[in-house]
């Protein structure tokens, strides 16, 4: 598996530190440079020996502008806490050939990449990355690739860069995460789109960046940020390397760089700051951390600059479909940070393979299917621009994204759920004949033998085939089944549980959850929170049991990290043999936050447990604290080449000729909202240009006496047809200046509409209407 190899330098600046009490501290934060319209993740590292009851706040000073910006430019900022942390121990040889050891600590950005975070955390807790002892010695999982100035890559037990855990999972892109950070960004390595009915090639391999590298944006799964251990990271980056024949790079360490340990823990001191900007400006940022031990703050300057990177668009997941016997309607969800014009498409992989992609300007696709067998479809998304529109089938790797899904014609969908997994369910690390899930089949004639299932236990263990038992538990006509399997965990922890069930007719059911494994008496679990308005008062956030602990609620303390930088003490209440943790908090921005709940026995830190859950906050009349996300609305043109040209003299009315001899071009153009949100009203100006770039040599075409054509607000998938043909007094054919010869040249349109990014030539988006 490879990542791209290109280096972009980054420049650090000193920050200004504000004096603070000695018993709490915040490391200096260098000045930051961030691309306008995109997001930057800034690590925050604090010291607080007094304990976890700390909170973060961020304050923005007035923005200053240069000649290329407007007063509308400015920053938004948000603190993120509560995430699990990944600790990676390593041994390596430094640039002086001296043996070294070190530790790197990452905040796993769970709210932006929940599945990726859960899978990698599960592998770490299960010991997948840890050294393995045998009679022949100890084997390590190495960092097999050290590319100076770019990345270090590891996580493959084979050490070759081609191995993995035996399963793959899809990319999990989020518009808040790009490779804009100076170093220490944690991401999945992958083999790209395989085209073999796979929906992703992520496994166990990951890489850590040494410099910003925007060419990686939305090609690789970002899911973490280094907080502590930068010296270790760059120590590894300096290890001597040699030529690697597989990659063709000088990237193979001369001496092994080994992972000596990998563990998941809760960090109750550090955080990350997410910065984003509209337009170009400079702005001061003040970060404060406070607790019962005092407060500390750091002040730095954020420089928002025009972004020169046109990030590729990406698709959201597409669910499998059952029950369709004819042409199937599918609505795709595409995201593009520049709000470029997009086109959507599909390609059959089974039961036949399309030689090309069928493209559309609309996210609403009508996909023809074969009714006698399962259909495997690759949904596609790409920028619709002048370089690849004419052939309609460009599949350049740097401009296109795929999502594979299945259509099971004539089948009835499966319905089901994972088994109830509550606190204290497991008293040991072994699950014997455990009822993992139950499901209901839609086809009444199905039997247990019609189903196959796989169980990913989250620690690298897989169960399938004869290792999974499916039993019918429903009575009479109720086709209810139970899925039973066994597994032993090596270590306690919270693991992702991923179950896939398929029947012989093609219907699929994917179930995702978590399983809490404990080897101690204290066990905790929580339920995700959903609240419009963001106000929680005495809200039950978690429950726990303790088989060997105190008899009353007063024997426990609880801390709730709400994920937005705020931490509060939780109230513990007893309910029979179980306990509840209640908390009070108010969110100020709509978002999905990671919440962590920690419970500890009074006076005994060796008995503690942590649970991570999510708070889904909506209904707040305020923009999200992180920019993006923003409303996705795109204007794209349907491919409708103009037809020919005529030399014409228009005569109308008693007044005689109303126009001089002109060249007119007739035809139609269709403007489509190819996004997933309503578009704003806009306008279209038509030009003829020798090259399809709309430069200063472009000549404007008059239409009906004006150069701008109004475009109304459009709903997702709605189009607006503009006819350039009509021989009347209000002629709206494209009218060129006298004696202008457009032969062999391009007819372009510049669509102008409201764009919150504020860069890329303001709000202008160029489309191709035709070729004369």
């Amino acid at each position: 598996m490879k990542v791209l190899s290109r280096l972009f330098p980054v420049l650090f600046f000193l920050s200004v530190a504000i004096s603070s009490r000695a018993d709490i501290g915040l490391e200096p934060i260098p000045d930051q440079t961030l691309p306008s319209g995109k997001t930057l993740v800034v690590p925050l590292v604090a010291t607080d020996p007094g304990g976890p009851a700390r909170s973060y706040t961020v304050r923005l000073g007035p923005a200053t502008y240069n000649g290329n910006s407007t007063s509308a430019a400015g920053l938004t900022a948000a603190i993120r806490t509560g995430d699990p942390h990944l600790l990676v121990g390593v041994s390596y040889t430094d640039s002086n050939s001296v043996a070294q050891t070190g530790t790197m600590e990452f905040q796993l950005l769970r709210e932006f990449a929940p599945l990726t975070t859960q899978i990698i955390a599960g592998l770490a807790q299960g010991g997948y990355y840890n050294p393995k002892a045998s009679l022949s010695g100890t084997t390590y999982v190495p960092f097999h690739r050290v590319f100076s100035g770019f990345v270090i890559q590891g996580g493959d037990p084979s050490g070759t860069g081609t191995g993995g855990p035996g399963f793959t999972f899809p990319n999990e892109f989020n518009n808040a995460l790009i490779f804009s950070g100076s170093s220490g960004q944690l991401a999945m390595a992958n083999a790209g789109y395989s085209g073999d009915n796979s929906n992703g090639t992520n496994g166990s391999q990951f890489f850590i960046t040494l410099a910003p590298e925007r060419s990686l944006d939305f090609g690789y799964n970002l899911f973490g940020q280094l907080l502590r251990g930068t010296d270790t990271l760059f120590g590894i980056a300096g290890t001597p390397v040699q030529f690697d024949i597989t990659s063709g790079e000088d990237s193979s360490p001369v001496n092994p760089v080994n992972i000596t340990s990998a563990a998941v823990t809760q960090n109750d001191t550090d955080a990350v700051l997410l910065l984003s900007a509209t337009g170009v400006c400079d702005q001061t940022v003040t970060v404060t951390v406070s607790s019962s031990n005092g407060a500390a703050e750091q002040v730095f300057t954020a420089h928002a600059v025009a972004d020169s990177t046109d990030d590729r668009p990406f698709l959201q997941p597409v669910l499998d479909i059952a029950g369709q016997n004819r042409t199937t309607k599918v609505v795709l969800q595409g995201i593009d940070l520049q709000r470029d014009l997009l086109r959507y498409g599909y390609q059959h992989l089974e039961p036949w393979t399309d030689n090309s992609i069928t493209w559309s300007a609309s996210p609403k696709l009508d996909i023809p299917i074969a009714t006698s067998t399962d259909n495997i479809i690759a949904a596609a998304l790409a920028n619709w621009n002048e370089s690849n529109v004419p052939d309609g089938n460009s599949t350049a790797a740097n401009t296109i994204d795929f999502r594979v899904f299945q259509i099971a014609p004539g089948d009835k969908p499966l319905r089901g759920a994972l088994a109830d997994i509550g606190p204290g369910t497991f008293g040991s690390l072994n699950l014997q004949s455990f009822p993992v899930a139950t499901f209901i089949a839609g086809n009444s004639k199905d039997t247990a033998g019609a189903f196959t299932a796989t169980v990913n236990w989250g620690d690298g263990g897989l169960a399938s085939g004869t290792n999974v038992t499916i039993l019918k538990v429903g009575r009479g006509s109720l086709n209810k089944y139970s899925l039973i399997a066994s597994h032993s965990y090596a270590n306690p922890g919270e693991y992702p549980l991923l179950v896939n069930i398929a029947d012989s007719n093609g219907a699929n059911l994917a179930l995702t959850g978590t399983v809490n494994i404990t080897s101690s008496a204290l066990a905790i679990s929580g339920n995700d929170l959903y609240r419009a308005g963001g106000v929680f008062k005495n809200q039950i956030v978690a429950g726990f049991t303790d088989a060997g602990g105190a008899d009353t609620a007063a024997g426990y303390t609880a801390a709730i990290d709400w994920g937005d930088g705020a931490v509060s003490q939780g109230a513990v209440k007893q309910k029979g043999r179980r306990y509840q943790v209640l908390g009070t908090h108010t969110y100020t921005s709509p978002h999905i936050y990671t919440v962590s709940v920690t419970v500890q026995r009074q006076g005994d830190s060796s008995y503690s447990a942590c649970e991570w859950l999510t708070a889904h906050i909506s209904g707040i009349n305020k923009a999200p604290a992180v920019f993006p996300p923003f409303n996705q609305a795109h204007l794209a043109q349907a491919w409708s080449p103009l037809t020919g040209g005529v030399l014409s003299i228009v005569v109308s009315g008693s007044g005689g000729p109303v126009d001089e001899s002109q060249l007119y071009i007739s035809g139609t153009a269709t403007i489509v909202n190819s996004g997933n949100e309503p578009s704003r009203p806009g306008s279209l100006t038509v030009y003829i240009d020798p090259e399809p770039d709309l430069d200063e040599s472009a000549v404007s075409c008059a239409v009906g006496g004006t150069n701008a054509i109004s475009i109304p607000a459009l709903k997702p998938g709605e189009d607006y047809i503009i006819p350039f043909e009509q021989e009347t007094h209000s002629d709206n054919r494209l009218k060129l200046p006298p004696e202008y010869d457009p032969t062999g040249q391009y007819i372009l349109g510049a669509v102008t509409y409201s764009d919150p990014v504020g860069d890329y030539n303001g709000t202008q988006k160029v489309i191709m209407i035709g070729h004369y």
Side-chain angles (χ1 to χ4, degrees):
M1 299 183 179
K2 297 181 181 180
V3 294
L4 302 179
S5 54
R6 187 180 174 193
L7 171 63
F8 280 72
V10 66
L11 185 63
F12 285 93
F13 300 89
L14 296 177
S15 67
V16 179
I18 304 300
S19 60
S20 59
R21 292 177 54 171
D23 50 1
I24 186 171
L26 184 62
E27 289 190 3
I29 307 170
D31 284 3
Q32 305 289 324
T33 298
L34 66 152
S36 175
K38 311 292 172 68
T39 304
L40 178 70
V41 180
V42 181
L44 305 177
V45 180
T47 56
D48 185 5
R54 57 94 192 97
S55 294
Y56 279 90
T57 57
V58 58
R59 185 174 71 254
L60 299 175
T64 58
Y65 314 100
N66 58 35
N68 297 323
S69 62
T70 66
S71 59
L75 295 181
T76 57
I79 300 289
R80 291 293 176 261
T81 56
D83 291 313
H85 283 225
L86 176 66
L87 299 176
V88 179
V90 293
S91 62
Y92 63 98
T93 301
D94 65 16
S95 58
N96 297 316
S97 299
V98 176
Q100 302 283 359
T101 60
T103 302
M104 294 179 286
E105 180 174 350
F106 302 87
Q107 181 168 329
L108 300 180
L109 305 175
R110 184 175 183 265
E111 66 192 64
F112 301 113
L115 178 61
T116 307
T117 296
Q118 286 181 327
I119 288 177
I120 297 303
L123 292 175
Q125 291 174 112
Y128 182 88
Y129 299 110
N130 290 345
K132 306 295 189 300
S134 66
L135 294 177
S136 59
T138 302
T139 58
Y140 293 87
V141 177
F143 281 95
H144 62 275
R145 185 179 188 233
V146 177
F147 198 132
S148 179
F150 182 45
V151 301
I152 68 172
Q153 182 175 332
D156 172 19
S158 74
T160 64
T162 60
F167 64 87
T168 59
F169 61 95
N171 290 322
E172 194 174 24
F173 298 138
N174 189 286
N175 50 359
L177 297 181
I178 60 172
F179 288 88
S180 56
S182 58
S183 65
Q185 292 187 276
L186 180 64
M188 296 302 299
N190 66 57
Y193 175 68
S194 63
D196 59 355
N197 304 352
S198 169
N199 217 352
T201 54
N202 298 294
S204 62
Q205 294 188 50
F206 54 84
F207 64 89
I208 308 163
T209 63
L210 301 172
E213 183 44 270
R214 296 293 304 284
S215 65
L216 303 177
D217 289 356
F218 307 126
Y220 301 88
N221 241 14
L222 254 171
F223 68 100
Q225 173 63 51
L226 181 70
L227 296 182
R228 298 171 183 258
T230 302
D231 55 342
T232 298
L233 172 64
F234 284 95
I236 296 172
T239 194
V241 296
Q242 57 192 350
F243 183 77
D244 178 68
I245 191 171
T246 301
S247 64
E249 306 165 344
D250 290 321
S251 62
S252 179
V254 174
N255 300 301
V257 179
N258 291 326
I259 297 175
T260 57
S261 63
V264 174
T265 185
Q266 182 198 24
N267 178 304
D268 49 28
T269 306
D270 304 334
V272 297
L273 170 68
L274 274 68
L275 289 177
S276 54
T278 302
V280 177
C281 66
D282 294 337
Q283 200 161 358
T284 58
V285 182
T286 303
V287 178
T288 304
V289 59
S290 59
S291 73
S292 58
N293 298 312
E297 69 179 32
Q298 293 287 340
V299 179
F300 66 95
T301 300
H303 307 279
V305 299
D307 188 18
S308 60
T309 300
D310 187 354
D311 280 317
R312 57 184 282 177
F314 62 93
L315 274 170
Q316 298 289 63
V318 184
L319 299 179
D320 289 339
I321 300 172
Q324 299 290 330
N325 285 301
R326 56 182 63 87
T327 298
T328 300
K329 295 183 181 296
V330 177
V331 179
L332 302 182
Q333 300 284 320
I335 293 178
D336 182 79
L337 294 189
Q338 292 78 222
R339 297 170 65 100
D340 287 333
L341 309 177
L342 299 179
R343 55 193 177 122
Y344 298 81
Y346 66 89
Q347 182 179 22
H348 267 93
L349 301 180
E350 288 185 10
W352 70 87
T353 300
D354 291 334
N355 294 322
S356 62
I357 299 172
T358 300
W359 290 106
S360 169
S362 172
K364 299 178 180 180
L365 302 181
D366 290 332
I367 302 177
I369 62 173
T371 58
S372 59
T373 185
D374 298 337
N375 287 235
I376 307 297
I377 307 295
L381 174 71
N383 289 120
W384 194 334
N385 55 56
E386 60 271 16
S387 64
N388 59 17
V389 164
D391 64 15
N393 292 301
S394 173
T395 57
N398 64 338
T399 62
I400 195 166
D401 189 30
F402 290 94
R403 288 284 180 168
V404 177
F405 65 101
Q406 177 173 287
I407 302 174
D411 202 4
K412 295 182 179 179
L414 302 174
R415 295 179 293 116
L418 293 176
D420 184 22
I421 305 172
T425 299
F426 313 120
S428 69
L429 303 177
N430 298 316
L431 308 182
Q432 298 298 326
S433 298
F434 177 67
V436 179
T438 58
F439 64 95
I440 298 175
N443 296 321
S444 59
K445 296 182 179 180
D446 278 341
T447 64
F451 303 99
T452 57
T454 59
V455 180
N456 184 336
W457 296 103
D459 62 345
L462 302 172
S464 61
T466 58
N467 294 321
V468 176
T469 301
I470 297 177
L471 298 176
K472 186 171 183 178
V473 295
R475 296 182 178 180
S477 61
L478 181 60
N479 286 336
K480 186 175 182 180
Y481 299 84
S482 178
L483 189 158
I484 299 171
S486 299
H487 185 63
S488 294
Y489 287 92
N491 302 300
E494 180 181 278
Y495 296 91
L497 187 60
L498 310 174
V499 176
N500 186 271
I501 304 168
D503 71 13
S504 56
N505 293 317
N508 280 285
L509 175 63
L511 302 173
T512 302
T514 57
V515 54
N516 292 284
I517 300 297
T518 177
S519 60
S520 68
L522 190 61
I524 183 173
S525 72
N527 295 316
D528 290 348
L529 307 174
Y530 298 84
R531 183 64 53 85
V535 178
F536 294 94
K537 186 175 182 179
N538 294 324
Q539 172 71 40
I540 300 174
V541 294
F544 67 94
T545 60
D546 190 352
D551 294 329
T552 65
Y556 301 92
T557 59
I560 305 172
D561 189 324
W562 297 95
D564 61 349
V567 176
S568 64
Q569 297 296 322
V572 179
K573 291 188 176 182
Q574 188 172 7
K575 292 288 186 179
R577 296 183 178 181
R578 300 167 69 92
Y579 301 86
Q580 296 176 337
V581 179
L582 289 75
T584 298
H585 181 62
T586 298
Y587 289 99
T588 59
S589 296
H591 196 69
I592 299 177
Y593 299 89
T594 295
V595 180
S596 66
V597 184
T598 305
V599 173
Q600 180 179 311
R601 288 184 190 171
Q602 288 276 20
D604 191 348
S605 60
S606 62
Y607 283 91
S608 64
C610 179
E611 169 72 345
W612 290 281
L613 54 138
T614 56
H616 302 255
I617 306 303
S618 62
I620 299 176
N621 188 23
K622 180 181 178 181
V626 179
F627 173 102
F630 51 79
N631 288 340
Q632 292 294 316
H634 305 269
L635 295 176
Q637 87 285 7
W639 182 240
S640 177
L642 298 179
T643 57
V646 293
L647 186 61
S648 174
I649 297 176
V650 178
V651 180
S652 177
S654 60
V658 296
D659 205 345
E660 298 179 358
S661 177
Q662 298 282 343
L663 179 66
Y664 290 87
I665 300 175
S666 62
T668 61
T670 303
I671 306 297
V672 181
N673 180 355
S674 65
N676 299 292
E677 297 287 341
S679 68
R680 298 174 176 86
S683 63
L684 170 67
T685 304
V686 182
Y687 300 84
I688 283 190
D689 199 5
E691 298 294 336
D693 56 6
L694 198 60
D695 58 17
E696 62 274 3
S697 66
V699 176
S700 176
C701 303
V703 184
T706 180
N707 289 332
I709 304 167
S710 296
I711 302 172
L714 301 174
K715 298 178 181 178
E718 186 178 6
D719 59 32
Y720 181 67
I721 299 175
I722 301 173
F724 298 123
E725 51 187 8
Q726 188 175 353
E727 294 189 47
T728 66
H729 182 69
S730 58
D731 200 307
N732 69 342
R733 291 175 296 173
L734 299 179
K735 183 176 66 174
L736 302 180
E739 301 179 354
Y740 185 85
D741 182 8
T743 303
Q745 299 185 27
Y746 293 90
I747 299 174
L748 304 175
V751 175
T752 302
Y753 61 101
S754 179
D755 185 343
V757 174
D759 56 5
Y760 273 97
N761 298 320
T763 61
Q764 186 168 274
K765 302 296 182 182
V766 179
I767 64 175
M768 176 177 288
I769 298 175
H771 183 278
Y772 183 78

